[in-house]
Amino acid sequence: MSFKVAVVGATGNVGHEMLDILAERAFPVSEVVALASTRSIGTEVSFGDKTLKVKALDHYDFSDTDICLMSAGGAVSKEWSPKIGAQGCVVIDNSSTWRMHPDVPLVVPEVNAAAAAGFRKMNIIANPNCSTAQLVVALKPLHEHFGIKRVVVSTYQSVSGAGKEGMDELFNQTRAVFSAGEVAAKKFSKRISFNVIPHIDVFMEDGFTKEEWKMMAETKKILDPKIKLTATCVRVPVFIGHSESVNIECEKPVTADEAREILRAAPGILVIDKHEPGGYITPHEAAGEDATYISRIREDNTVENGLAFWCVSDNLRKGAALNAVQIAEVLINRKLIQPRKKAA
């Protein structure tokens, strides 16, 4: 069986990754269609060894398309995802628009693949926030064995999480520093080159940012509503790859050695944890890779049954494009969808 797949936002960072990952994983496609706004009509994008010409979302008929990978931002998704779903095409959406909607599953396949079956009410499945995705992959096996009560997480998020504009701003500011030029901050609230910014997304009334709230709310929906989580989200001058310092408090006693072995056996995780210089993963090594990497696993004796670890992943892949393609694979492997158009 092969499926017709549309990628909306095909000219963006995540859209490019979606096309690459579909090709890399030999996803069973009969046809791939690249879609974007009308200003991008005719732009060429790569899909494996093929070149696709971008078509306009506004004029596209989804009636014979099976899966739509949506990565065009919240406003576009809010308008178009219900329309596309109403035409019988399953939308896997990368924006925050539908994540907390009660009729939309929020899915990380290594964690709650079974939840994908709930897509039929709206024909929409939501991808979580990039920081949440890698976090819950790491928390799931530990929660199953030890029962996580509380999580304290600080993130170190790359500029690619803010799109191409974020990456361009880091590049331009860094160049300006070395050429004694003007360091202009446009995308971010403060200078990002040779700096860190403890602020991602808008501020809420309680002093947390929307990014921090997303991590709290999404972790509860995906993993367990009883888990208490607090987050501090920080933008750092890294192009690709989000890192997280994670501290957990469990119901049952946990040792670092036990946690290490459990994480090594868990899907989607690679443990790199040597107690020596360089015996850990940084965003530089994680860029372009599919795994969620865990390092610096150690017991935290300041709380009962405490554990601390370092978690790194490519935010454009596991945090977005890879997770979306994995959700599509779940739909196919669990026979939750069938091709709408019979092969010739």
Side-chain angles (χ1 to χ4, degrees):
M1 290 191 296
S2 55
F3 297 79
K4 186 173 181 180
V5 178
V7 176
V8 178
T11 57
N13 286 340
V14 175
H16 281 301
E17 291 287 344
M18 286 174 167
L19 291 166
D20 287 347
I21 291 168
L22 285 169
E24 286 171 17
R25 294 173 75 89
F27 192 88
V29 296
S30 57
E31 183 183 354
V32 174
V33 182
L35 301 173
S37 64
T38 51
R39 68 177 179 272
S40 296
I41 291 176
T43 301
E44 293 185 344
V45 293
S46 297
F47 169 63
D49 57 3
K50 298 177 182 177
T51 300
L52 307 178
K53 287 202 172 183
V54 173
K55 299 178 181 179
L57 170 63
D58 291 5
H59 308 135
Y60 186 71
D61 179 4
F62 286 88
S63 59
D64 67 347
T65 303
D66 300 297
I67 298 167
C68 171
L69 303 180
M70 173 73 71
S71 186
V76 173
S77 180
K78 187 174 183 180
E79 177 183 358
W80 281 96
S81 291
K83 294 179 184 177
I84 296 167
Q87 292 186 58
C89 176
V90 183
V91 179
I92 301 172
D93 179 45
N94 194 53
S95 79
S96 63
T97 302
W98 303 102
R99 290 176 190 157
M100 301 312 295
H101 193 289
D103 293 333
V104 175
L106 180 63
V107 176
V108 176
E110 296 93 336
V111 179
N112 66 335
F119 75 90
R120 291 187 175 90
K121 288 183 180 177
M122 294 186 68
N123 265 357
I124 302 172
I125 300 175
N127 239 9
N129 179 269
C130 45
S131 297
T132 305
Q134 69 188 69
L135 178 66
V136 295
V137 168
L139 294 183
K140 167 73 169 180
L142 297 172
H143 186 49
E144 283 183 338
H145 284 82
F146 308 110
I148 296 173
K149 295 196 298 184
R150 181 171 183 258
V151 181
V152 180
V153 56
S154 296
T155 71
Y156 306 75
Q157 295 179 226
S158 65
V159 294
S160 55
K164 185 178 181 297
E165 291 177 345
M167 298 177 80
D168 287 346
E169 186 148 311
L170 174 57
F171 178 83
N172 292 332
Q173 286 184 2
T174 303
R175 185 172 57 184
V177 168
F178 286 105
S179 63
E182 180 188 358
V183 180
K186 297 175 183 175
K187 180 65 178 178
F188 300 115
S189 58
K190 288 180 181 276
R191 159 180 161 168
I192 185 60
S193 65
F194 305 96
N195 198 18
V196 298
I197 304 171
H199 166 204
I200 300 176
D201 212 328
V202 297
F203 276 93
M204 303 178 75
E205 287 185 6
D206 60 3
F208 284 91
T209 65
K210 189 74 177 287
E211 186 84 355
E212 292 157 355
W213 176 85
K214 289 174 193 172
M215 294 192 74
M216 300 175 204
E218 292 171 19
T219 298
K220 289 175 179 288
K221 182 171 179 177
I222 295 167
L223 192 55
D224 188 336
K226 295 191 293 292
I227 291 176
K228 295 178 180 178
L229 186 147
T230 185
T232 301
C233 293
V234 182
R235 190 74 72 190
V236 297
V238 170
F239 282 109
I240 294 172
H242 288 357
S243 306
E244 297 171 350
S245 171
V246 185
N247 183 284
I248 64 173
E249 185 179 349
C250 301
E251 294 170 358
K252 300 175 184 176
V254 53
T255 69
D257 286 341
E258 287 173 323
R260 206 172 282 115
E261 290 309 306
I262 286 164
L263 289 166
R264 280 201 177 106
I269 291 174
L270 280 177
V271 175
I272 309 292
D273 189 20
K274 296 179 180 178
H275 299 170
E276 61 186 45
Y280 40 79
I281 286 290
T282 67
H284 177 71
E285 291 94 41
E289 301 293 332
D290 289 346
T292 295
Y293 291 92
I294 308 295
S295 306
R296 302 292 321 281
I297 302 166
R298 59 210 187 273
E299 292 153 36
D300 175 9
N301 295 318
T302 66
V303 293
E304 191 173 4
N305 308 328
L307 192 76
F309 60 89
W310 175 248
C311 176
V312 183
S313 192
D314 182 326
N315 56 295
L316 298 180
R317 292 180 75 88
K318 185 54 194 169
L322 173 64
N323 200 73
V325 174
Q326 286 177 308
I327 292 170
E329 291 171 346
V330 167
L331 295 176
I332 293 169
N333 294 338
R334 297 190 175 215
K335 297 181 169 53
L336 296 171
I337 61 171
Q338 299 289 327
R340 302 166 76 195
K341 192 174 182 180
K342 299 295 183 185

